[in-house]
Amino acid sequence: MTSERRGLLIILSSPSGAGKSTLAHRLMDWDETLRFSVSATTRAPREGERDGVDYRFLEVSEFKQMVAEGRMLEHAHVFGNFYGSPQGPVEEAIEAGRDVLFDVDWQGAQQIVNSDLGKHTLSIFLLPPSITELRRRLVSRGKDSEDVISKRMQKSWDEISHWGSYDYVLVNDDLDATFEKLKGIVTAERMRRAQQPRLQEVVRHLQAEFEEGLQ
């Protein structure tokens, strides 16, 4: 049976510290059917990580084969390891009407948008209200050294400079207000024509009924 709607590939991107993780988890609390895409990686599992839950752990040869066969929506080589988003599970989710969240940078976002599933993507970029506030948030987390914070800040402008390639851009100056806007965007985008597979059937029935009435 065809689902009432197709799922969305919801891409959230932002510089580190702009609130992306917090808003993504709020979205999943709001709609418990939402799930993060389980990425594949060639790095070794860390303590407590489970295959198929935290990551799909693959050999380098298997990962490269999946890329060659077009079975990765996006992929990148980071610090000596490969990371990517397998296409198969995402296709199954959207055909079943389930939305999938992607926490990727602008390069990963562009690969997904340009993939076979591109027409089902919804890309959203989160901007901080100021660079000063972005740095304050990074410092207040208390997780990183000053050197790491400096590197994150240097990378932040590269991320921000690609804001124009996203469908929506939100300035996260108020977390609650930004979340309300985010919910509104997702709710509206779920009703896009491309997300409603039964529309053609409905129109065919209307056309048949109309033609019968003319006879």
Side-chain angles (χ1 to χ4, degrees), residues 56-148:
R56 281 190 61 194
F57 295 100
L58 304 177
E59 297 295 328
V60 173
S61 58
E62 185 180 1
F63 190 102
K64 288 184 175 181
Q65 183 176 356
M66 290 181 70
V67 171
E69 294 173 352
R71 293 191 286 135
M72 285 286 182
L73 282 172
E74 58 84 25
H75 63 279
H77 189 249
V78 183
F79 299 126
N81 295 298
F82 290 99
Y83 294 84
S85 302
Q87 182 166 324
V90 176
E91 284 182 326
E92 292 173 7
I94 66 171
E95 286 303 317
R98 298 192 306 273
D99 302 327
V100 182
L101 277 171
F102 290 84
D103 178 354
V104 294
D105 64 11
W106 67 271
Q107 291 171 309
Q110 283 303 298
Q111 289 183 56
I112 295 172
V113 169
N114 293 328
S115 73
D116 293 340
L117 302 180
K119 66 180 180 180
H120 301 298
T121 61
L122 163 60
S123 61
I124 304 166
F125 193 87
L126 300 171
L127 287 171
S130 69
I131 297 300
T132 301
E133 174 61 15
L134 184 66
R135 180 176 177 80
R136 188 198 67 77
R137 291 177 186 178
L138 288 175
V139 171
S140 67
R141 295 194 304 195
K143 294 180 178 180
D144 301 315
S145 66
E146 185 61 35
D147 182 57
V148 170

Side-chain angles (χ1 to χ4, degrees), residues 47-60:
E47 186 176 353
E49 289 183 333
R50 293 170 293 169
D51 184 49
V53 176
D54 300 289
Y55 283 95
R56 281 190 61 194
F57 295 100
L58 304 177
E59 297 295 328
V60 173

